[in-house]
Amino acid sequence: MDKVQAAAEKFAALIENQLARVERMKAEKDFIQYDKLDKIIIGVVGGDGIGPAITHEAQRILEYLLADEIQSGKIEVREINGLTIENRVKANKAIPDDVLAELKACHVLLKGPTTTPRAGDPWPNIESANVAMRKELDLFANVRPVKVAEKGIDWTFFRENTEGSYALGSRGVHVDDDLSFDFCVTTTEGTERIARAAFEYARKTGKNRVTIVTKANVIKTTDGKFLNICQEVAKEYPEIEVDDWYIDIMTAKLVDEKRRQQFRVVILPNLYGDIITDEAAEFQGGVGTAGSSNLGKRYAMFEAIHGSAPRMVQEGRAQYADPCSIIRAASMLLEHIGYTDRAEILTKALDKCMYEEKKLVITGRSDGATGAAFADYVMETIRAMR
């Protein structure tokens, strides 16, 4: 019974930790108002692998578009370079303390990909920096838009970011050599706020349908709670049509040419949101084309949704990595902090370069353009459009 008792004690500690987190959520204040700040601080986090290479190009575009505000002191751009796998291993933390302090000193973050160790990797089992950042900064809403006009696709996904199957992903219990447990977390506060964020977005943008995705027929306790709470919040928005789908059939319906055109705003728990949004990005050209926002009340983080591609670095090809995803994330950042005009022109220029003119094509190798050349192309396009 010793191993059962040890596992039970570890589980009890996790419960206490999550109960304390619920109380912190209840005490949250309103969202930050950027127009009331004397200065907006944008942190640019290179990450590792190809992250520093692609993030640098997005930073150049941001600084070009915000040149007047940077010159006047209204905006400050800070580089944060310590979120590498080597630095994290050295500190034995998902986010080293000094780096976390730098992150918390900013209002918004533009973040490149970071390496998450897997079984068999030469790194210790350190928690994902993304997961840790979302928890430390309480970035509860992962928002990923996917739009392909010619296919009738106009989707916005609201993925719950701090709970579900990822909340305790590095804190599972190995009872013995034959048995291991991981945990899935659903709270009332956490679900209500992601549901309300999705419905408010739908109301604000005039989108007439919200779809809730779970596996509540099998995962009855946590997914059941998530579905029930979303349905209760939906009653506050009677003008919006609501439906719900199970995750397995939802993955199929995204490729159903008739059905997929009906989806507009989608709410999902953490794991399902991770899977579905990668599938959805393929319709737009792949994960290298899609940006992502992670929103909380005090902080916001915008990122590329693909991985760190360490092989490209090992093969000396980092300069050929595609920066489009992080550039699109930069556009989402601009809109979030109130520079809608700059966000709109960046999005239009990026779409023109990627899908219309295609004067430069990125292949990830020397037979294609470098990320720097593509960023120059985007800025030249912006100048021509102004």
Side-chain angles (χ1 to χ4, degrees):
M1 288 295 292
D2 289 345
K3 58 188 176 184
V4 175
Q5 183 62 34
E9 289 176 358
K10 183 171 183 179
F11 185 39
L14 293 176
I15 293 173
E16 292 291 340
N17 177 271
Q18 290 301 305
L19 288 172
R21 188 177 71 86
V22 168
E23 293 306 313
R24 290 195 299 272
M25 283 192 284
K26 290 179 178 179
E28 284 176 349
K29 297 180 180 178
D30 293 333
F31 282 88
I32 192 170
Q33 294 180 287
Y34 296 99
D35 60 343
K36 302 292 177 62
L37 298 175
D38 293 331
K39 177 192 289 186
I40 300 172
I41 302 174
I42 301 172
V44 178
V45 187
D48 52 32
I50 63 170
I54 62 172
T55 306
H56 176 69
E57 304 311 327
Q59 180 181 346
R60 288 203 298 130
I61 294 172
L62 271 181
E63 290 175 341
Y64 167 68
L65 287 168
L66 296 171
D68 291 343
E69 288 78 11
I70 293 171
Q71 178 67 29
S72 69
K74 176 63 179 175
I75 288 179
E76 178 185 345
V77 178
R78 295 182 183 176
E79 293 186 17
I80 301 174
N81 299 312
L83 205 63
T84 63
I85 184 63
E86 294 83 4
N87 207 28
R88 292 159 55 212
V89 166
K90 184 178 179 181
N92 195 31
K93 288 188 173 183
I95 305 175
D97 292 342
D98 59 334
V99 178
L100 182 58
E102 289 186 80
L103 298 174
K104 288 185 173 180
C106 302
H107 298 107
V108 291
L109 302 164
L110 183 68
K111 178 190 162 294
T114 51
T115 299
T116 301
R118 301 175 300 176
D121 282 352
W123 310 109
N125 183 28
I126 295 175
E127 183 182 30
S128 159
N130 269 9
V131 173
M133 190 179 297
R134 290 163 184 163
K135 287 191 289 188
E136 289 285 351
L137 305 182
D138 201 23
L139 305 175
F140 65 86
N142 182 244
V143 185
R144 295 184 180 181
V146 174
K147 190 170 185 177
V148 188
E150 62 270 23
K151 295 181 179 179
I153 292 172
D154 184 7
W155 303 327
T156 305
F157 297 91
F158 278 75
R159 166 191 170 189
E160 201 294 316
N161 229 4
T162 59
E163 300 188 352
S165 300
Y166 288 2
L168 302 171
S170 63
R171 300 181 190 178
V173 176
H174 290 287
V175 179
D176 59 19
D177 289 343
D178 296 316
L179 180 63
S180 297
F181 280 96
D182 272 315
F183 304 102
C184 185
V185 176
T186 299
T187 70
T188 299
E189 293 289 331
T191 307
E192 281 183 350
R193 65 186 184 177
I194 188 68
R196 191 157 282 111
F199 278 99
E200 284 292 327
Y201 172 82
R203 174 175 282 175
K204 178 181 176 182
T205 57
K207 295 182 184 294
N208 62 354
R209 174 177 289 196
V210 171
T211 299
I212 308 160
V213 178
T214 66
K215 190 63 177 171
N217 58 330
V218 176
I219 314 297
K220 295 182 183 294
T221 302
T222 49
D223 278 25
K225 183 180 182 69
F226 189 94
L227 175 59
N228 290 339
I229 291 173
C230 288
Q231 290 173 331
E232 283 300 309
V233 172
K235 294 176 182 178
E236 302 174 23
Y237 302 84
E239 77 278 14
I240 298 172
E241 184 180 349
V242 180
D243 61 355
D244 70 275
W245 292 78
Y246 297 135
I247 179 62
D248 45 356
I249 194 63
M250 184 68 177
T251 61
K253 290 305 174 185
L254 286 189
V255 298
D256 181 328
E257 292 185 3
K258 293 183 179 179
R259 176 67 70 177
R260 71 186 182 201
Q261 295 182 27
Q262 298 174 13
F263 298 122
R264 288 293 178 263
V265 178
V266 184
I267 314 172
L268 316 93
N270 208 335
L271 173 61
Y272 308 148
D274 192 6
I275 295 167
I276 281 285
T277 52
D278 279 6
E279 180 194 11
E282 286 297 308
F283 292 96
Q284 191 172 265
V287 294
T289 68
S292 173
S293 61
N294 300 266
L295 309 179
K297 292 189 174 181
R298 170 64 180 83
Y299 300 100
M301 182 263 284
F302 301 81
E303 62 179 337
I305 71 170
H306 54 72
S308 59
R311 182 178 296 178
M312 290 189 71
V313 178
Q314 294 164 8
E315 296 175 355
R317 297 188 287 117
Q319 69 271 31
Y320 297 106
D322 189 342
C324 289
S325 180
I326 194 74
I327 293 172
R328 200 168 292 281
S331 176
M332 296 169 75
L333 184 155
L334 287 168
E335 182 174 10
H336 183 72
I337 63 175
Y339 292 92
T340 306
D341 56 338
R342 257 66 70 90
E344 184 176 343
I345 197 169
L346 175 53
T347 297
K348 287 181 178 178
L350 184 59
D351 287 344
K352 189 172 186 178
C353 294
M354 290 176 65
Y355 304 124
E356 299 172 23
E357 291 183 347
K358 299 182 181 179
K359 292 180 180 177
L360 293 179
V361 177
I362 293 176
T363 65
R365 297 184 179 276
S366 58
D367 61 349
T370 64
F374 193 87
D376 288 341
Y377 176 29
V378 172
M379 287 187 281
E380 289 166 7
T381 304
I382 291 171
R383 280 192 286 270
M385 293 171 67
R386 280 179 158 178

